[in-house]
Amino acid sequence: MKALFIGGTGIISSAITRQLSETDGCELYLLNRGNRNESLPANVKVLQADINDESQVAKLIEDLSFDVVADFIAFRPEQLERDYRLFHGKTKQFIFISSASAYQKPLSDYRVTESTPLANPYWEYSRNKIACEEYLIKQYREQGFPITIVRPSHTYDERSIPLGVHGSKGSWQVARRMLANKPVIIHGDGTSLWTMTHNRDFAKGFIGLMGNIHAIGEAVQITSDETVTWNQIYAAIADALGVKLQAVHVSSEFLAACSKEDYTGGLIGDKANSVVFDNAKLKRLVPDFVASTRFDQGVKQTVAHVLAHPECQTEDPEFDIWCDKVIDALQGAIASVKGR
């Protein structure tokens, strides 16, 4: 199999790249700007270019054709229009990475399948993903473009601790607060249901869809079957850090109203909703798929890696101050209502 990944070094794609590099009979190309290629396996071929420079990319792939092309970094319809111009007639399968956040919010049923309606009025990111899917489906129906749409949910790797509420510089500051025995914010009451998927497990499902004739024209979600609450998620992270969790629960609406971050989209349009994913379709298409990394085990590996690699520890003092302000405001409101 000859495959081209646009991107290939991100949270979702890096594990796929590693696993494919160890697979006999797979010739893998990555098309990216070369910013994070230093740790790529030696047998991965790099086409160094900016995918947005369409003429340059067209010259690079002029004499190439592929069994699979996968775009991991497309977020808007015009980017898929570019991909169609570049790869129509050059690939037997085009895989687009959409998002489970595109599913209906609020959900009419917390059990999510590929048939769950796509509608998210809270998050532009999700609406753009929906528009991308609609464009590709049109090309499949009218032009025979061989698409497969993949919908990941919250997928994590060893480089960043997965959380619900963090600042624009990542999640390290929350871990730092835990290590300092400071309170951390959990959205809502922490009992909503969520799914965390390790990128190693995601890669198993994704590779099973590559070159799979039954996946053409289909949308498929890839997640773990494990369901956890946000309280359990934060408790597992605290345990991995070797500290006691000091949690403060704050409503998602309040967080969205008083933050510069996009918590309206990220929380109300995504993480504040209870979701349980039904992966029956994936398992029908990829019969040997099983997500084998339990969250408390996977996050221990992530925490160990982050603690051992200072480059993963980006401090965010502005977010730290904001957390203190939110917690102080909440405690002050409680005191005021009680008449103290």
Side-chain angles (χ1 to χ4, degrees):
M1 179 169 58
K2 188 175 180 181
L4 171 67
F5 288 174
I6 303 168
T9 60
I11 289 176
I12 286 178
S13 58
S14 58
I16 307 170
T17 297
R18 286 194 297 268
Q19 290 185 28
L20 279 178
S21 72
E22 300 166 0
T23 302
D24 292 336
C26 182
E27 184 180 0
L28 179 61
Y29 291 75
L30 300 191
L31 194 160
N32 59 40
R33 291 177 294 181
N35 294 337
R36 290 189 290 184
N37 287 346
E38 62 279 352
S39 60
L40 287 177
N43 59 341
V44 173
K45 301 176 182 181
V46 176
L47 302 176
Q48 189 161 328
D50 184 342
I51 185 61
N52 296 305
D53 188 340
E54 187 173 337
S55 60
Q56 180 190 13
V57 174
K59 289 179 182 178
L60 281 175
I61 65 170
E62 186 175 7
D63 298 321
L64 296 173
S65 61
F66 304 93
D67 296 300
V68 179
V69 172
D71 193 336
F72 291 91
I73 56 173
F75 302 99
R76 301 185 308 277
E78 58 267 28
Q79 295 171 321
L80 273 302
E81 293 170 8
R82 172 207 63 208
D83 287 352
Y84 177 77
R85 291 191 296 269
L86 285 169
F87 299 110
H88 180 48
K90 280 187 165 289
T91 184
K92 298 175 184 176
Q93 182 185 32
F94 180 86
I95 304 179
F96 167 60
I97 314 303
S98 185
S99 171
S101 70
Y103 287 124
Q104 178 186 64
K105 301 295 184 307
L107 287 160
S108 57
D109 189 332
Y110 71 95
R111 293 164 297 186
V112 177
T113 74
E114 288 82 359
S115 297
T116 299
L118 303 182
N120 192 329
Y122 303 104
W123 204 359
E124 183 182 12
Y125 165 83
S126 304
R127 293 193 296 276
N128 282 334
K129 288 289 190 179
I130 294 169
C132 288
E133 289 197 24
E134 290 172 343
Y135 171 77
L136 289 176
I137 291 168
K138 183 175 186 291
Q139 299 312 308
Y140 170 69
R141 289 174 176 165
E142 298 180 3
Q143 305 298 330
F145 192 44
I147 65 161
T148 298
I149 294 167
V150 171
R151 296 177 187 145
S153 186
H154 201 155
T155 307
Y156 68 102
D157 68 355
E158 73 281 1
R159 293 173 288 187
S160 179
I161 300 168
L163 287 165
V165 179
H166 59 77
S168 59
K169 296 182 179 179
S171 60
W172 168 248
Q173 195 67 42
V174 179
R176 198 165 182 266
R177 288 180 69 88
M178 289 184 181
L179 290 168
N181 201 35
K182 295 181 70 174
V184 297
I185 294 170
I186 299 178
H187 60 276
D189 64 2
T191 62
S192 58
L193 304 176
W194 197 244
T195 297
M196 292 285 193
T197 307
H198 199 285
N199 69 345
R200 289 191 302 259
D201 289 332
F202 182 90
K204 298 176 194 175
F206 188 92
I207 291 170
L209 295 175
M210 292 178 64
N212 188 329
I213 60 173
H214 303 293
I216 302 300
E218 298 288 344
V220 188
Q221 60 194 27
I222 304 176
T223 78
S224 171
D225 291 316
E226 181 186 26
T227 301
V228 286
T229 68
W230 284 102
N231 287 333
Q232 290 173 322
I233 290 167
Y234 277 75
I237 294 167
D239 182 66
L241 289 166
V243 298
K244 181 177 174 59
L245 176 65
Q246 307 289 337
V248 175
H249 294 93
V250 184
S251 81
S252 298
E253 290 79 6
F254 184 83
L255 292 172
C258 66
S259 174
K260 296 178 182 178
E261 307 294 338
D262 185 16
Y263 289 147
T264 298
L267 289 182
I268 299 172
D270 195 25
K271 297 180 181 69
N273 298 268
S274 282
V275 290
V276 176
F277 293 96
D278 181 345
N279 290 302
K281 184 174 184 179
L282 173 64
K283 292 173 183 177
R284 186 171 68 252
L285 294 171
V286 187
D288 60 350
F289 172 78
V290 60
S292 57
T293 305
R294 204 175 67 206
F295 177 69
D296 62 319
Q297 298 171 336
V299 82
K300 281 184 179 179
Q301 298 168 9
T302 297
V303 166
H305 181 92
V306 169
L307 291 176
H309 291 80
E311 67 273 17
C312 298
Q313 302 171 17
T314 303
E315 296 188 12
D316 192 346
E318 184 178 354
F319 173 75
D320 199 52
I321 292 170
W322 178 82
C323 288
D324 290 335
K325 287 181 177 179
V326 169
I327 293 168
D328 288 345
L330 185 66
Q331 292 173 343
I334 293 171
S336 175
V337 171
K338 286 186 174 181
R340 294 176 181 173

